[in-house]
PDB file of all heavy atoms in Angstrom:
ATOM      1  N   PHE A   1     -71.384  99.824-105.427  1.00  0.00           N
ATOM      2  CA  PHE A   1     -70.183  99.332-104.745  1.00  0.00           C
ATOM      3  C   PHE A   1     -69.523  98.183-105.522  1.00  0.00           C
ATOM      4  O   PHE A   1     -68.317  98.136-105.648  1.00  0.00           O
ATOM      5  CB  PHE A   1     -70.525  98.890-103.327  1.00  0.00           C
ATOM      6  CG  PHE A   1     -69.341  98.326-102.603  1.00  0.00           C
ATOM      7  CD1 PHE A   1     -68.359  99.166-102.128  1.00  0.00           C
ATOM      8  CD2 PHE A   1     -69.200  96.951-102.426  1.00  0.00           C
ATOM      9  CE1 PHE A   1     -67.233  98.629-101.476  1.00  0.00           C
ATOM     10  CE2 PHE A   1     -68.100  96.432-101.792  1.00  0.00           C
ATOM     11  CZ  PHE A   1     -67.110  97.268-101.300  1.00  0.00           C
ATOM     12  N   LYS A   2     -70.332  97.277-106.021  1.00  0.00           N
ATOM     13  CA  LYS A   2     -69.749  96.102-106.724  1.00  0.00           C
ATOM     14  C   LYS A   2     -68.952  96.542-107.944  1.00  0.00           C
ATOM     15  O   LYS A   2     -67.871  96.018-108.224  1.00  0.00           O
ATOM     16  CB  LYS A   2     -70.861  95.113-107.135  1.00  0.00           C
ATOM     17  CG  LYS A   2     -70.304  93.830-107.721  1.00  0.00           C
ATOM     18  CD  LYS A   2     -71.411  92.849-108.026  1.00  0.00           C
ATOM     19  CE  LYS A   2     -70.855  91.474-108.440  1.00  0.00           C
ATOM     20  NZ  LYS A   2     -69.909  91.561-109.550  1.00  0.00           N
ATOM     21  N   ILE A   3     -69.479  97.528-108.670  1.00  0.00           N
ATOM     22  CA  ILE A   3     -68.758  98.014-109.856  1.00  0.00           C
ATOM     23  C   ILE A   3     -67.437  98.636-109.450  1.00  0.00           C
ATOM     24  O   ILE A   3     -66.385  98.393-110.069  1.00  0.00           O
ATOM     25  CB  ILE A   3     -69.631  99.044-110.608  1.00  0.00           C
ATOM     26  CG1 ILE A   3     -70.884  98.379-111.148  1.00  0.00           C
ATOM     27  CG2 ILE A   3     -68.857  99.704-111.733  1.00  0.00           C
ATOM     28  CD1 ILE A   3     -71.869  99.351-111.764  1.00  0.00           C
ATOM     29  N   ILE A   4     -67.460  99.425-108.384  1.00  0.00           N
ATOM     30  CA  ILE A   4     -66.235 100.090-107.908  1.00  0.00           C
ATOM     31  C   ILE A   4     -65.235  99.017-107.418  1.00  0.00           C
ATOM     32  O   ILE A   4     -64.055  99.069-107.735  1.00  0.00           O
ATOM     33  CB  ILE A   4     -66.581 101.056-106.764  1.00  0.00           C
ATOM     34  CG1 ILE A   4     -67.408 102.209-107.296  1.00  0.00           C
ATOM     35  CG2 ILE A   4     -65.302 101.569-106.082  1.00  0.00           C
ATOM     36  CD1 ILE A   4     -68.031 103.060-106.249  1.00  0.00           C
ATOM     37  N   ASN A   5     -65.718  98.044-106.669  1.00  0.00           N
ATOM     38  CA  ASN A   5     -64.863  97.011-106.133  1.00  0.00           C
ATOM     39  C   ASN A   5     -64.235  96.170-107.250  1.00  0.00           C
ATOM     40  O   ASN A   5     -63.046  95.859-107.212  1.00  0.00           O
ATOM     41  CB  ASN A   5     -65.678  96.112-105.194  1.00  0.00           C
ATOM     42  CG  ASN A   5     -64.864  95.498-104.080  1.00  0.00           C
ATOM     43  OD1 ASN A   5     -63.936  96.144-103.554  1.00  0.00           O
ATOM     44  ND2 ASN A   5     -65.187  94.297-103.698  1.00  0.00           N
ATOM     45  N   ASP A   6     -65.051  95.838-108.238  1.00  0.00           N
ATOM     46  CA  ASP A   6     -64.560  94.995-109.351  1.00  0.00           C
ATOM     47  C   ASP A   6     -63.606  95.738-110.288  1.00  0.00           C
ATOM     48  O   ASP A   6     -62.659  95.173-110.791  1.00  0.00           O
ATOM     49  CB  ASP A   6     -65.726  94.449-110.156  1.00  0.00           C
ATOM     50  CG  ASP A   6     -66.548  93.412-109.356  1.00  0.00           C
ATOM     51  OD1 ASP A   6     -66.057  92.961-108.295  1.00  0.00           O
ATOM     52  OD2 ASP A   6     -67.661  93.081-109.798  1.00  0.00           O
ATOM     53  N   SER A   7     -63.887  97.040-110.505  1.00  0.00           N
ATOM     54  CA  SER A   7     -63.090  97.787-111.473  1.00  0.00           C
ATOM     55  C   SER A   7     -61.830  98.385-110.881  1.00  0.00           C
ATOM     56  O   SER A   7     -60.778  98.423-111.534  1.00  0.00           O
ATOM     57  CB  SER A   7     -63.947  98.893-112.109  1.00  0.00           C
ATOM     58  OG  SER A   7     -64.425  99.788-111.131  1.00  0.00           O
ATOM     59  N   LEU A   8     -61.895  98.869-109.646  1.00  0.00           N
ATOM     60  CA  LEU A   8     -60.749  99.543-109.025  1.00  0.00           C
ATOM     61  C   LEU A   8     -59.979  98.657-108.047  1.00  0.00           C
ATOM     62  O   LEU A   8     -58.886  99.007-107.598  1.00  0.00           O
ATOM     63  CB  LEU A   8     -61.206 100.808-108.303  1.00  0.00           C
ATOM     64  CG  LEU A   8     -61.897 101.871-109.170  1.00  0.00           C
ATOM     65  CD1 LEU A   8     -62.265 103.079-108.334  1.00  0.00           C
ATOM     66  CD2 LEU A   8     -61.022 102.266-110.344  1.00  0.00           C
ATOM     67  N   GLY A   9     -60.559  97.510-107.665  1.00  0.00           N
ATOM     68  CA  GLY A   9     -59.874  96.597-106.787  1.00  0.00           C
ATOM     69  C   GLY A   9     -60.401  96.618-105.361  1.00  0.00           C
ATOM     70  O   GLY A   9     -61.020  97.608-104.926  1.00  0.00           O
ATOM     71  N   HIS A  10     -60.115  95.568-104.623  1.00  0.00           N
ATOM     72  CA  HIS A  10     -60.649  95.436-103.264  1.00  0.00           C
ATOM     73  C   HIS A  10     -60.014  96.430-102.320  1.00  0.00           C
ATOM     74  O   HIS A  10     -60.638  96.828-101.327  1.00  0.00           O
ATOM     75  CB  HIS A  10     -60.442  94.000-102.768  1.00  0.00           C
ATOM     76  CG  HIS A  10     -61.259  92.981-103.492  1.00  0.00           C
ATOM     77  ND1 HIS A  10     -62.597  92.822-103.260  1.00  0.00           N
ATOM     78  CD2 HIS A  10     -60.929  92.109-104.477  1.00  0.00           C
ATOM     79  CE1 HIS A  10     -63.072  91.863-104.062  1.00  0.00           C
ATOM     80  NE2 HIS A  10     -62.087  91.428-104.786  1.00  0.00           N
ATOM     81  N   ASP A  11     -58.778  96.858-102.571  1.00  0.00           N
ATOM     82  CA  ASP A  11     -58.134  97.848-101.695  1.00  0.00           C
ATOM     83  C   ASP A  11     -58.926  99.148-101.715  1.00  0.00           C
ATOM     84  O   ASP A  11     -59.180  99.766-100.654  1.00  0.00           O
ATOM     85  CB  ASP A  11     -56.702  98.086-102.108  1.00  0.00           C
ATOM     86  CG  ASP A  11     -55.796  96.911-101.800  1.00  0.00           C
ATOM     87  OD1 ASP A  11     -56.231  96.038-101.009  1.00  0.00           O
ATOM     88  OD2 ASP A  11     -54.688  96.848-102.329  1.00  0.00           O
ATOM     89  N   ILE A  12     -59.307  99.584-102.898  1.00  0.00           N
ATOM     90  CA  ILE A  12     -60.108 100.817-103.029  1.00  0.00           C
ATOM     91  C   ILE A  12     -61.485 100.596-102.440  1.00  0.00           C
ATOM     92  O   ILE A  12     -62.051 101.480-101.784  1.00  0.00           O
ATOM     93  CB  ILE A  12     -60.190 101.264-104.499  1.00  0.00           C
ATOM     94  CG1 ILE A  12     -58.777 101.582-105.035  1.00  0.00           C
ATOM     95  CG2 ILE A  12     -61.101 102.479-104.636  1.00  0.00           C
ATOM     96  CD1 ILE A  12     -58.077 102.715-104.297  1.00  0.00           C
ATOM     97  N   GLY A  13     -62.049  99.380-102.664  1.00  0.00           N
ATOM     98  CA  GLY A  13     -63.335  99.070-102.087  1.00  0.00           C
ATOM     99  C   GLY A  13     -63.319  99.143-100.561  1.00  0.00           C
ATOM    100  O   GLY A  13     -64.239  99.679 -99.941  1.00  0.00           O
ATOM    101  N   ASP A  14     -62.241  98.637 -99.965  1.00  0.00           N
ATOM    102  CA  ASP A  14     -62.112  98.698 -98.489  1.00  0.00           C
ATOM    103  C   ASP A  14     -61.958 100.146 -98.006  1.00  0.00           C
ATOM    104  O   ASP A  14     -62.514 100.518 -96.973  1.00  0.00           O
ATOM    105  CB  ASP A  14     -60.904  97.875 -98.034  1.00  0.00           C
ATOM    106  CG  ASP A  14     -61.147  96.382 -98.150  1.00  0.00           C
ATOM    107  OD1 ASP A  14     -62.298  95.986 -98.371  1.00  0.00           O
ATOM    108  OD2 ASP A  14     -60.168  95.609 -98.019  1.00  0.00           O
ATOM    109  N   LEU A  15     -61.203 100.947 -98.772  1.00  0.00           N
ATOM    110  CA  LEU A  15     -61.065 102.355 -98.391  1.00  0.00           C
ATOM    111  C   LEU A  15     -62.424 103.066 -98.475  1.00  0.00           C
ATOM    112  O   LEU A  15     -62.745 103.899 -97.607  1.00  0.00           O
ATOM    113  CB  LEU A  15     -60.076 103.062 -99.324  1.00  0.00           C
ATOM    114  CG  LEU A  15     -58.601 102.729 -99.117  1.00  0.00           C
ATOM    115  CD1 LEU A  15     -57.744 103.411-100.191  1.00  0.00           C
ATOM    116  CD2 LEU A  15     -58.118 103.175 -97.749  1.00  0.00           C
ATOM    117  N   LEU A  16     -63.204 102.726 -99.471  1.00  0.00           N
ATOM    118  CA  LEU A  16     -64.527 103.307 -99.605  1.00  0.00           C
ATOM    119  C   LEU A  16     -65.420 102.943 -98.411  1.00  0.00           C
ATOM    120  O   LEU A  16     -66.087 103.808 -97.837  1.00  0.00           O
ATOM    121  CB  LEU A  16     -65.185 102.862-100.908  1.00  0.00           C
ATOM    122  CG  LEU A  16     -66.638 103.311-101.133  1.00  0.00           C
ATOM    123  CD1 LEU A  16     -66.739 104.842-101.127  1.00  0.00           C
ATOM    124  CD2 LEU A  16     -67.174 102.747-102.458  1.00  0.00           C
ATOM    125  N   LEU A  17     -65.386 101.687 -98.016  1.00  0.00           N
ATOM    126  CA  LEU A  17     -66.192 101.251 -96.872  1.00  0.00           C
ATOM    127  C   LEU A  17     -65.772 101.970 -95.595  1.00  0.00           C
ATOM    128  O   LEU A  17     -66.599 102.377 -94.780  1.00  0.00           O
ATOM    129  CB  LEU A  17     -66.088  99.738 -96.702  1.00  0.00           C
ATOM    130  CG  LEU A  17     -66.724  98.898 -97.800  1.00  0.00           C
ATOM    131  CD1 LEU A  17     -66.370  97.416 -97.598  1.00  0.00           C
ATOM    132  CD2 LEU A  17     -68.234  99.077 -97.827  1.00  0.00           C
ATOM    133  N   SER A  18     -64.473 102.147 -95.408  1.00  0.00           N
ATOM    134  CA  SER A  18     -63.971 102.850 -94.222  1.00  0.00           C
ATOM    135  C   SER A  18     -64.420 104.316 -94.240  1.00  0.00           C
ATOM    136  O   SER A  18     -64.774 104.881 -93.204  1.00  0.00           O
ATOM    137  CB  SER A  18     -62.466 102.755 -94.168  1.00  0.00           C
ATOM    138  OG  SER A  18     -62.033 101.413 -94.014  1.00  0.00           O
ATOM    139  N   GLU A  19     -64.379 104.912 -95.412  1.00  0.00           N
ATOM    140  CA  GLU A  19     -64.798 106.328 -95.522  1.00  0.00           C
ATOM    141  C   GLU A  19     -66.292 106.477 -95.293  1.00  0.00           C
ATOM    142  O   GLU A  19     -66.763 107.433 -94.647  1.00  0.00           O
ATOM    143  CB  GLU A  19     -64.408 106.870 -96.890  1.00  0.00           C
ATOM    144  CG  GLU A  19     -64.790 108.322 -97.110  1.00  0.00           C
ATOM    145  CD  GLU A  19     -64.098 109.287 -96.170  1.00  0.00           C
ATOM    146  OE1 GLU A  19     -63.018 108.946 -95.639  1.00  0.00           O
ATOM    147  OE2 GLU A  19     -64.645 110.395 -95.967  1.00  0.00           O
ATOM    148  N   ILE A  20     -67.076 105.504 -95.785  1.00  0.00           N
ATOM    149  CA  ILE A  20     -68.519 105.519 -95.545  1.00  0.00           C
ATOM    150  C   ILE A  20     -68.798 105.436 -94.049  1.00  0.00           C
ATOM    151  O   ILE A  20     -69.630 106.176 -93.506  1.00  0.00           O
ATOM    152  CB  ILE A  20     -69.191 104.353 -96.301  1.00  0.00           C
ATOM    153  CG1 ILE A  20     -69.190 104.634 -97.809  1.00  0.00           C
ATOM    154  CG2 ILE A  20     -70.615 104.160 -95.802  1.00  0.00           C
ATOM    155  CD1 ILE A  20     -69.575 103.403 -98.630  1.00  0.00           C
ATOM    156  N   ALA A  21     -68.104 104.516 -93.370  1.00  0.00           N
ATOM    157  CA  ALA A  21     -68.271 104.377 -91.927  1.00  0.00           C
ATOM    158  C   ALA A  21     -67.946 105.676 -91.201  1.00  0.00           C
ATOM    159  O   ALA A  21     -68.644 106.078 -90.262  1.00  0.00           O
ATOM    160  CB  ALA A  21     -67.397 103.230 -91.390  1.00  0.00           C
ATOM    161  N   SER A  22     -66.880 106.347 -91.620  1.00  0.00           N
ATOM    162  CA  SER A  22     -66.482 107.601 -90.999  1.00  0.00           C
ATOM    163  C   SER A  22     -67.560 108.656 -91.195  1.00  0.00           C
ATOM    164  O   SER A  22     -67.890 109.403 -90.255  1.00  0.00           O
ATOM    165  CB  SER A  22     -65.165 108.067 -91.609  1.00  0.00           C
ATOM    166  OG  SER A  22     -64.767 109.325 -91.054  1.00  0.00           O
ATOM    167  N   ARG A  23     -68.131 108.757 -92.380  1.00  0.00           N
ATOM    168  CA  ARG A  23     -69.171 109.756 -92.628  1.00  0.00           C
ATOM    169  C   ARG A  23     -70.422 109.483 -91.796  1.00  0.00           C
ATOM    170  O   ARG A  23     -71.064 110.410 -91.300  1.00  0.00           O
ATOM    171  CB  ARG A  23     -69.531 109.793 -94.112  1.00  0.00           C
ATOM    172  CG  ARG A  23     -68.419 110.331 -94.984  1.00  0.00           C
ATOM    173  CD  ARG A  23     -68.892 110.560 -96.410  1.00  0.00           C
ATOM    174  NE  ARG A  23     -67.806 110.934 -97.288  1.00  0.00           N
ATOM    175  CZ  ARG A  23     -67.918 111.301 -98.543  1.00  0.00           C
ATOM    176  NH1 ARG A  23     -69.141 111.316 -99.118  1.00  0.00           N
ATOM    177  NH2 ARG A  23     -66.878 111.640 -99.289  1.00  0.00           N
ATOM    178  N   LEU A  24     -70.759 108.214 -91.655  1.00  0.00           N
ATOM    179  CA  LEU A  24     -71.927 107.877 -90.847  1.00  0.00           C
ATOM    180  C   LEU A  24     -71.700 108.259 -89.386  1.00  0.00           C
ATOM    181  O   LEU A  24     -72.594 108.779 -88.708  1.00  0.00           O
ATOM    182  CB  LEU A  24     -72.241 106.386 -90.973  1.00  0.00           C
ATOM    183  CG  LEU A  24     -72.760 105.922 -92.338  1.00  0.00           C
ATOM    184  CD1 LEU A  24     -72.878 104.388 -92.374  1.00  0.00           C
ATOM    185  CD2 LEU A  24     -74.097 106.572 -92.667  1.00  0.00           C
ATOM    186  N   ARG A  25     -70.504 107.982 -88.872  1.00  0.00           N
ATOM    187  CA  ARG A  25     -70.174 108.348 -87.482  1.00  0.00           C
ATOM    188  C   ARG A  25     -70.280 109.853 -87.267  1.00  0.00           C
ATOM    189  O   ARG A  25     -70.834 110.332 -86.277  1.00  0.00           O
ATOM    190  CB  ARG A  25     -68.734 107.905 -87.157  1.00  0.00           C
ATOM    191  CG  ARG A  25     -68.583 106.460 -86.702  1.00  0.00           C
ATOM    192  CD  ARG A  25     -67.255 106.331 -85.988  1.00  0.00           C
ATOM    193  NE  ARG A  25     -66.913 104.935 -85.728  1.00  0.00           N
ATOM    194  CZ  ARG A  25     -66.124 104.215 -86.495  1.00  0.00           C
ATOM    195  NH1 ARG A  25     -65.601 104.745 -87.599  1.00  0.00           N
ATOM    196  NH2 ARG A  25     -65.818 102.974 -86.200  1.00  0.00           N
ATOM    197  N   LEU A  26     -69.704 110.607 -88.196  1.00  0.00           N
ATOM    198  CA  LEU A  26     -69.633 112.047 -88.034  1.00  0.00           C
ATOM    199  C   LEU A  26     -71.001 112.726 -88.112  1.00  0.00           C
ATOM    200  O   LEU A  26     -71.192 113.817 -87.586  1.00  0.00           O
ATOM    201  CB  LEU A  26     -68.720 112.672 -89.124  1.00  0.00           C
ATOM    202  CG  LEU A  26     -67.217 112.354 -88.973  1.00  0.00           C
ATOM    203  CD1 LEU A  26     -66.473 112.863 -90.197  1.00  0.00           C
ATOM    204  CD2 LEU A  26     -66.670 113.009 -87.707  1.00  0.00           C
ATOM    205  N   ASN A  27     -71.940 112.070 -88.778  1.00  0.00           N
ATOM    206  CA  ASN A  27     -73.232 112.690 -88.990  1.00  0.00           C
ATOM    207  C   ASN A  27     -74.357 112.151 -88.122  1.00  0.00           C
ATOM    208  O   ASN A  27     -75.525 112.453 -88.343  1.00  0.00           O
ATOM    209  CB  ASN A  27     -73.614 112.556 -90.481  1.00  0.00           C
ATOM    210  CG  ASN A  27     -72.837 113.490 -91.348  1.00  0.00           C
ATOM    211  OD1 ASN A  27     -73.187 114.629 -91.537  1.00  0.00           O
ATOM    212  ND2 ASN A  27     -71.719 113.007 -91.892  1.00  0.00           N
ATOM    213  N   LEU A  28     -73.989 111.332 -87.136  1.00  0.00           N
ATOM    214  CA  LEU A  28     -74.998 110.787 -86.211  1.00  0.00           C
ATOM    215  C   LEU A  28     -74.449 110.852 -84.790  1.00  0.00           C
ATOM    216  O   LEU A  28     -73.229 110.849 -84.584  1.00  0.00           O
ATOM    217  CB  LEU A  28     -75.317 109.327 -86.587  1.00  0.00           C
ATOM    218  CG  LEU A  28     -76.074 109.119 -87.881  1.00  0.00           C
ATOM    219  CD1 LEU A  28     -76.068 107.633 -88.239  1.00  0.00           C
ATOM    220  CD2 LEU A  28     -77.511 109.623 -87.795  1.00  0.00           C
TER     221      LEU A  28
END
């Protein structure tokens, strides 16, 4: 995550976190 956040920016990092949360919700 840190590499993604540092290289692509915090906006993409936030989108990734939101998508991770969505996948966790859908699979539990």
Side-chain angles (χ1 to χ4, degrees):
F1 178 75
K2 187 176 187 305
I3 296 174
I4 294 168
N5 210 35
D6 291 346
S7 60
L8 300 182
H10 292 284
D11 289 345
I12 298 299
D14 287 349
L15 287 175
L16 175 59
L17 292 172
S18 297
E19 180 62 23
I20 289 168
S22 177
R23 291 189 186 185
L24 291 174
R25 275 199 190 96
L26 290 173
N27 285 275
L28 291 168

